[in-house]
Amino acid sequence: MKLAPSSFGVVAVLAATLAVAGCKKPPEKQTEAQRARAVTVVTIGPRAIVGSLAASGDLVPREEAAVAPEVSGYRVTRVLADVGEYVRAGQTLAVIDPALLDAQVAQARAQAAQAEDQAQRVKDLDGQGVISQEQIASRRFQAEVARANLRALTTQRQKLAVSAPVSGVILEKNARPGDISTPSATPWFRIARDGQIELSADVAEDDLSRIRVGQQATVNLPSGAVATGRVRLISPQIDPQTKLGEVRITLPVRSDIRAGGFGRAVFNDASANVLGAPEAAIRYDADGAKVMVVGPDNKVKRVPVQTGARGGGVVQIVKGPPAGTRIIANAGALFLDGDLVRPSGAPAQPAAKTAVAK
């Protein structure tokens, strides 16, 4: 059978197409390095943590004075100060009945005068034999004893007015008219010197390094009121049981800041240099925090870490890989141990040299 001329053209085109297809090379296989995913890496290293830090505690007097009677066995006649009052140093707070002590002072004064008179009579009789030297010495000794007794009673008489040793606000009053003054472990008055109240805040051991003396803090009170204070003291020791340290924050003298109350301090500019990593590089799951370490061979390994303080997008690495370790910047990326990656960012650390035994 003969083909039409147009059929010869179609056959020619098909033959050419098959010839070209037969000459095309098969696709090249990608190497493992070429298949590796591109990732951004960062290093674990010293970083500044900046951010707010909060701590709570009790409101306490900066300095407290305890006032107690210095004489015992006498009755209180008047109490001149009450809780909440501001008193001045030297101001009389309570008065003790002087009647009994006045009688004792009068008797002692008479005895002292008599003994002084007896001593004066033998003033110039030493060695004359008119009276024995022993009697002369005894009269002089009795006069000295009488004078000392009078001085002691006069001093006690002056102590009948119980006064404030410092200026400040009375926090507690335990004296009442009719009470008998006796030495006691409970003071009659407790005074907050100058009315100054501080916040005694408990701060975790790891966070103490983020606080400095003179640092400003915002203190929130239960009433909703806010006061601005400054750090006066950071405890040099940590409680071995709670692992907390005390920070004292001086507050302004205000009627709504009361000793015994509660406060919460916020340190907005708390900062510290720690071994850390970006917060985005930390992955959290049921087993805790982890980072994806990129080794010198660019292979990935999941490594657990213990985290500490955080702030400003930085997380402290308390326990984990050493400084300089490369980790994947995005903790949300899914990788398996042993996956090969193409890192960009932080350079790889040189491998440790192994000593060769000779």
Side-chain angles (χ1 to χ4, degrees), residues 1-5 7-8:
M1 181 179 65
K2 294 183 180 181
L3 296 176
S7 299
F8 283 106

Side-chain angles (χ1 to χ4, degrees), residues 231-252:
V231 176
R232 180 182 68 85
L233 180 146
I234 300 174
S235 175
Q237 62 180 358
I238 302 296
D239 188 306
Q241 302 298 325
T242 63
K243 300 302 179 183
L244 299 175
E246 182 188 30
V247 173
R248 286 289 189 105
I249 302 170
T250 302
L251 299 174

Side-chain angles (χ1 to χ4, degrees), residues 54-58 200-204 208 242 244-247:
S56 302
D58 297 323
S200 173
D202 294 325
V203 179
L208 281 178
T242 63
L244 299 175
E246 182 188 30
V247 173

Side-chain angles (χ1 to χ4, degrees), residues 7-347:
S7 299
F8 283 106
V10 174
V11 173
V13 172
L14 290 175
T17 302
L18 292 174
V20 172
C23 295
K24 188 176 182 181
K25 295 181 180 180
E28 296 182 0
K29 293 184 178 180
Q30 288 185 322
T31 64
E32 184 181 10
Q34 292 173 328
R35 291 197 304 269
R37 290 170 58 184
V39 295
T40 301
V41 297
V42 293
T43 58
I44 295 175
R47 297 175 185 271
I49 291 182
V50 180
S52 62
L53 169 67
S56 302
D58 297 323
L59 298 174
V60 298
R62 172 173 178 172
E63 184 178 345
E64 184 178 309
V67 184
E70 298 182 58
V71 295
S72 60
Y74 304 98
R75 190 177 302 279
V76 177
T77 57
R78 289 181 297 163
V79 177
L80 305 177
D82 206 347
V83 172
E85 293 183 10
Y86 191 95
V87 296
R88 300 290 180 181
Q91 180 177 332
T92 300
L93 305 180
V95 177
I96 297 174
D97 187 358
L100 182 57
L101 196 53
D102 282 345
Q104 293 175 340
V105 169
Q107 183 180 9
R109 184 174 287 114
Q111 292 173 343
Q114 182 182 18
E116 186 68 29
D117 179 65
Q118 293 293 329
Q120 286 295 325
R121 290 184 180 185
V122 297
K123 179 179 179 182
D124 301 321
L125 298 182
D126 292 275
Q128 296 185 12
V130 177
I131 188 173
S132 69
Q133 197 64 34
E134 182 179 357
Q135 289 177 315
I136 294 174
S138 176
R139 290 189 182 187
R140 290 172 177 168
F141 175 74
Q142 292 299 326
E144 185 61 34
V145 170
R147 286 194 294 270
N149 185 46
L150 177 60
R151 285 195 299 269
L153 289 172
T154 302
T155 301
Q156 288 187 43
R157 176 65 177 80
Q158 296 171 349
K159 299 296 183 181
L160 293 181
V162 179
S163 59
V166 298
S167 298
V169 176
I170 296 179
L171 302 175
E172 183 179 346
K173 181 193 74 172
N174 296 303
R176 299 170 301 176
D179 286 348
I180 302 298
S181 60
T182 57
S184 173
T186 303
W188 277 7
F189 299 92
R190 287 176 48 241
I191 301 175
R193 185 168 191 167
D194 299 325
Q196 188 71 66
I197 302 299
E198 295 184 330
L199 176 66
S200 173
D202 294 325
V203 179
E205 181 179 5
D206 294 339
D207 291 331
L208 281 178
S209 61
R210 303 176 60 190
I211 300 175
R212 65 187 184 279
V213 173
Q215 184 174 357
Q216 183 173 297
T218 301
V219 177
N220 299 281
L221 305 175
S223 63
V226 177
T228 300
R230 290 194 178 275
V231 176
R232 180 182 68 85
L233 180 146
I234 300 174
S235 175
Q237 62 180 358
I238 302 296
D239 188 306
Q241 302 298 325
T242 63
K243 300 302 179 183
L244 299 175
E246 182 188 30
V247 173
R248 286 289 189 105
I249 302 170
T250 302
L251 299 174
V253 177
R254 289 180 6 192
S255 59
D256 61 336
I257 301 178
R258 303 179 180 88
F262 177 82
R264 182 175 183 272
V266 178
F267 308 88
N268 291 316
D269 59 343
S271 63
N273 288 321
V274 299
L275 184 68
E279 191 168 8
I282 310 297
R283 183 172 184 173
Y284 300 90
D285 55 29
D287 297 326
K290 296 179 179 62
V291 293
M292 301 301 294
V293 172
V294 179
D297 57 358
N298 290 337
K299 290 188 177 181
V300 174
K301 182 180 179 182
R302 184 183 287 104
V303 177
V305 294
Q306 180 182 343
T307 61
R310 64 186 60 218
V314 174
V315 177
Q316 180 185 10
I317 304 298
V318 178
K319 185 178 181 181
T325 302
R326 296 187 303 169
I327 59 176
I328 295 178
N330 180 14
L334 298 177
F335 289 97
L336 299 176
D337 286 355
D339 283 353
L340 187 67
V341 296
R342 286 185 289 115
S344 63

